[in-house]
Amino acid sequence: MDNPIAGEDFNYLSGFGNHLSSEALAGALPAGQNSPLICPYGLYAEQISGTSFTSPRNRNLFSWFYRIKPSVTHEPFKPRVPINGRILSEFNNSNSSANPTQLRWKPMDTPDSPTDFIDGLSTICGSGSSFMRHGYAIHMYTANKSMDKCAFCNADGDFLIVPQQGRLLITTECGRLKVSPGEIAILPQGFRFSVNLPDGPSRGYVAEIFGTHFQLPDLGPIGANGLAAPRDFLVPTAWFEDKSYPGYTIVQKFGGELFAAVQDFSPFNVVAWHGNYVPYKYDLSKFCPYNTVLFDHSDPSINTVLTAPTDKPGVALLDFVIFPPRWLVAEHTFRPPYYHRNCMSEFMGLIHGGYEAKADGFLPGGASLHNCMTPHGPDTKSYEATIARGNDAGPSKIKDTMAFMFESSLIPRISQWALESPSLDRDYYLCWIGLRSHFTAGPENPGFQNGQ
C-alpha cells in the first residue's frame, strides 16, 4: 500500500455469484475442509456470513478467510471522534423530512481541509432502518485524502459505490480493486476496506441497502443474453500484508453511528480465501442496452444493471439503472423520457456528459430526486428541441454520456444536511415553468366543447 497504483498489477477473477477461491501463497487453502485443526502456514480460519446459515442455497452467501491474525484481535469499540453527523441509517421525523418537491443538487465542492472517504460521506436521503434490516440510504462523497492507518467496516448494509471524479484504490480483505469513473464497486456488509485516492480529490455516489444484497435482474423474454453479463463482474484476487501497525484503527458504521477500535496489525492479512460473499466491480461500458426499434419509449427498467429485491415479485428495494450511449431509432416518437409520475422514487446522478432530458443544470457530479408520485420529465428546452425536429428525425446516437438512477419502492426522507446544503439548486422548478400549451383546439375550432 506504499505505492498504491504506479507499476502494480491488479488481477481479478470473473463471474457474478460464483463460488471462487484465491490464494496469494500456493497451498494456503486447506484441502478438503474449511476449518482444520492446523491451517496451512499456521493461518487462522475465519468465516464471514452475508446471509443466515439456513437461507436457501441459491441465496446463501459466505466466505472463508485464512488470515495471519483473526479480526477479533482488537481493543473494545468506542464512539469515534470526530463523528460524522451527516451519515444516517435510520430515517424518521427527528433527522429527515418528507418532501414531495422535485429536488436537484449541484456538484459538491472539494473539501477545504483534509477529508478521507469516511468523513466525506453525506447522506442525501433514505428510508427504513438498518436495525430493522429493511431500507436503504443514498449518500454522496467528496474526499481529498487517502485513508491512513485505518479501515472502514459497514455493519449496516452493502455499499454500491459510483465514482464520478478520480479513481479509487479499494483494499479489501479479499484483495484490491482499482475503480475508475465509469465503473462501480460493491462492498458487502461487514467487509473491512480502505480507500486510497491515487488521482487526488475524488467524488461520487453511494447506494446502501439494508437486509438484502444485490443480484442480477431476471431477463424474462430478453432471453439468455444482454444487459450486464455475469462474466464481466470482477472479484479481486488474494493480496495480503504482514506488517506491524501500532495504532491501526477499525472504524465501524453501526446503526449509522461510527465506532473505532484499535489494533496493532493490518486487517488486510488474508493470505487465501474461498466463497461467494465477496467484493466486486463492474465496468458500465460493458453493459449491453436494449431499446425500442420501432416506436415509443421503453421503460427505464430495461436498463437495470443490479437489483435488490423485496419479498414482493417485481418490486425492488433498490434498482441500479443506467442510461449509457445508445442508438435512438423510434419513428414518430417523442424520444426523450416521457413525462411521468411514479409509485417508485427516483434518484439520479450523472457520471459524465449530459442527460437527454435536461438541457441545462444537471451536471456531472450533481444529482436529482423525484419522489413518489412527484411529476417529472424533460425540461422546456429539451421538449421544444425534440418536437422541432419533427417526425422526419432519422436515427441518432446518444454519445459520451453515462447517467444512472437509484430507484426504490420505499419513499425516501431527505436529510436536513441535503436540504440545507449550498449545493441544493433552489431554482430547479424553473426548468419546467416555461412549458407552454400546444393545444390546437379552441373556441374557434368547430369541434371544441368546453364542459358540454
Side-chain angles (χ1 to χ4, degrees), residues 81-126:
V81 178
I83 64 171
N84 181 347
R86 301 183 310 280
I87 298 177
L88 301 179
S89 71
E90 309 294 309
F91 295 89
N92 53 55
N93 290 334
S94 69
N95 59 22
S96 53
S97 301
N99 192 326
T101 299
Q102 303 94 340
L103 299 173
R104 184 162 70 184
W105 291 267
K106 301 171 186 177
M108 295 170 60
D109 294 331
T110 301
D112 294 329
S113 58
T115 303
D116 65 13
F117 179 82
I118 301 173
D119 291 315
L121 275 176
S122 300
T123 303
I124 301 294
C125 61

Side-chain angles (χ1 to χ4, degrees), residues 107-407:
M108 295 170 60
D109 294 331
T110 301
D112 294 329
S113 58
T115 303
D116 65 13
F117 179 82
I118 301 173
D119 291 315
L121 275 176
S122 300
T123 303
I124 301 294
C125 61
S127 184
S129 163
S130 62
F131 284 104
M132 299 303 294
R133 313 304 307 132
H134 183 63
Y136 68 95
I138 294 173
H139 318 276
M140 297 177 73
Y141 75 87
T142 179
N144 58 11
K145 173 182 178 291
S146 296
M147 292 171 59
D148 182 31
K149 287 183 66 176
C150 74
F152 195 21
C153 176
N154 183 8
D156 293 335
D158 290 12
F159 276 159
L160 188 161
I161 300 177
V162 186
Q164 184 273 321
Q165 175 182 295
R167 292 176 297 173
L168 304 179
L169 171 60
I170 305 175
T171 303
T172 77
E173 291 169 282
C174 285
R176 300 178 299 168
L177 296 166
K178 183 168 60 176
V179 187
S180 301
E183 298 180 314
I184 60 171
I186 287 76
L187 303 175
Q189 177 189 12
F191 272 81
R192 294 176 176 182
F193 65 92
S194 182
V195 178
N196 279 20
L197 309 180
D199 301 329
S202 179
R203 70 184 178 201
Y205 314 84
V206 181
E208 180 182 10
I209 53 173
F210 311 138
T212 188
H213 302 286
F214 288 105
Q215 60 190 56
L216 293 174
D218 290 331
L219 294 181
I222 291 176
N225 306 291
L227 307 189
R231 70 173 181 169
D232 291 327
F233 289 82
L234 302 180
V235 175
T237 54
W239 180 91
F240 73 96
E241 56 182 5
D242 183 15
K243 287 184 178 181
S244 174
Y245 274 108
Y248 197 102
T249 303
I250 304 296
V251 179
Q252 184 136 321
K253 187 168 82 69
F254 186 86
E257 300 180 38
L258 299 182
F259 297 83
V262 175
Q263 59 189 48
D264 62 2
F265 63 96
S266 168
F268 309 118
N269 65 353
V270 177
V271 180
W273 60 264
H274 75 85
N276 62 356
Y277 192 51
V278 291
Y280 55 92
K281 75 169 192 170
Y282 176 73
D283 182 347
L284 299 178
S285 69
K286 296 184 180 297
F287 186 82
C288 179
Y290 279 67
N291 208 343
T292 182
V293 295
L294 190 57
F295 64 89
D296 279 351
H297 185 95
S298 299
D299 295 330
S301 51
I302 196 66
N303 291 320
T304 300
V305 180
L306 292 169
T307 183
T310 64
D311 294 335
K312 186 182 295 185
V315 179
L317 173 67
L318 190 131
D319 283 334
F320 175 61
V321 179
I322 64 171
F323 304 95
R326 61 203 182 278
W327 281 95
L328 302 180
V329 300
E331 300 172 346
H332 49 81
T333 292
F334 186 78
R335 291 177 178 175
Y338 42 74
Y339 292 98
H340 193 204
R341 286 180 293 164
N342 192 356
C343 64
M344 307 282 277
S345 296
E346 306 176 9
F347 175 96
M348 286 198 63
L350 184 61
I351 300 171
H352 65 84
Y355 178 56
E356 60 184 309
K358 295 292 184 294
D360 297 313
F362 187 44
L363 304 174
S368 67
L369 175 65
H370 302 140
N371 222 321
C372 172
M373 289 301 174
T374 293
H376 55 278
D379 60 15
T380 303
K381 286 186 179 180
S382 299
Y383 181 86
E384 296 292 344
T386 299
I387 62 172
R389 297 186 189 102
N391 280 324
D392 295 329
S396 63
K397 187 176 183 180
I398 299 177
K399 301 178 181 179
D400 303 322
T401 182
M402 186 61 75
F404 72 88
M405 178 169 68
F406 299 139
E407 184 177 55

